[in-house]
Amino acid sequence: MLVLGIDTSCDDTSVAVYRADTGRVLSNVVSSQYEFHAPFGGVVPEVAARRHAEQIDAVFNAALKEAGVEPEELNLVATTNRPGLLPALLVGLTFGKGLSFRLGIPFKAVHHIEAHLLSPFIGREPPFPFIGLVVSGGHTVIVVAEKLGKYKVVGKTLDDAVGEAYDKVAKLLSLGYPGGPAIDRLYRSYRGELLKLPKPKVKGLDFSFSGIKTATRRLFEQGAPAVQVAASFQETAVDYLVEKLKKAVKEVGVKRVAVAGGVSANSLLREKLLALKEEEGIELHLAPLEFTSDNGAMVAYTGYLRFLLEGADPLTVGAQARSPIDEG
Ligand code: KG4
Ligand code: ZN
């Protein structure tokens, strides 16, 4: 069983080939558009769509070549159709549907956040139930995953996503786009004192990052060096994520945790999660580094699981810019 996974939801054109019977990812090709969006300090949807359209054929061909697979050998096409930047989503969706039609094989539309959520388990059965923390450029959610397709959002950001806050702070400090890796690197190189930033007092398991972002800006405007500002921001943002996750484990009473999404590549977050695992006796599943940011492998894997559960989708299925994970 060979599954093709396509993701063009944001600024990465990604295609992967997943061998479902062995649970192996045969190829996972990602073409990033960073340099095209860098001048704008964030992703421009129309620029992303144009670039996806230019790249998708080459990325598809590279993924098949690396996997050593001919198009006719594919058994299922899975493509992200929600949520994401609408013009960008449409490029992958149209390509995936066209391929499914041409090859006469089933098509499965995939929810991007579900794909991130399940990415720590690529290649095996997800061990339900678990608590999932998805942290990316567009999303910051804590989910109770009861079984495949049954997710309850117990915490979410009320304003910016954590990755978005990283990118905005990086823009303020002229560190380039995407901001996460740049800030993480500065944090690692910094040996000085960390400045205190107030943590937002949002009730329950919800998050807010706009206050942290504003306090960070103030520090910079008051003359603190960029490296100290970046490191202090990271310390606060990561602490805040881990505190909420710890609270979720206590409140929900499930000691199995999965953490995924672009920000889960963060070195300090991974370090603090490992400490939390020891401290609380948690079964921790981190997305493998290569599958933290947007990738076709998580889409192929999730599409395959959902295809087994509920069958294929019609080729009339559309794209949706917004779609909470607990509403389908
Ligand atoms: O999952 P992803 O590739 O795309 C979305 O679905 O949004 O996440 C991208 C986000 C960006 O905001 C980027 O700055 C952030 O993940 N990111 C990081 C790190 N690597 C990527 N944030 C913090 N630390 C990192 N090491
Ligand atoms: Zn993503």
Side-chain angles (χ1 to χ4, degrees), residues 269-298:
L269 178 60
R270 292 176 93 91
E271 209 175 280
K272 294 208 176 211
L273 288 170
L274 290 172
L276 182 73
K277 168 189 162 154
E278 294 307 318
E279 191 186 307
E280 299 286 322
I282 289 166
E283 183 187 316
L284 178 67
H285 300 269
L286 289 174
L289 276 179
E290 58 182 323
F291 302 135
T292 52
S293 59
D294 292 348
N295 64 86
M298 68 182 189

Side-chain angles (χ1 to χ4, degrees), residues 41 160 164-174 183 195-198 209-226 228-230 232-234 236:
D160 290 352
E164 194 180 348
Y166 261 97
D167 294 336
K168 286 180 181 168
V169 167
K171 190 177 178 182
L172 168 79
L173 304 177
S174 307
I183 291 179
L195 300 170
K196 215 159 172 51
L197 286 168
F209 285 96
S210 70
I212 299 182
K213 197 183 62 192
T214 309
T216 305
R217 167 169 295 122
R218 208 164 300 130
L219 284 185
F220 189 56
E221 286 167 358
Q222 285 164 355
Q228 187 180 29
V229 173
S232 305
F233 164 78
Q234 167 143 313
T236 310

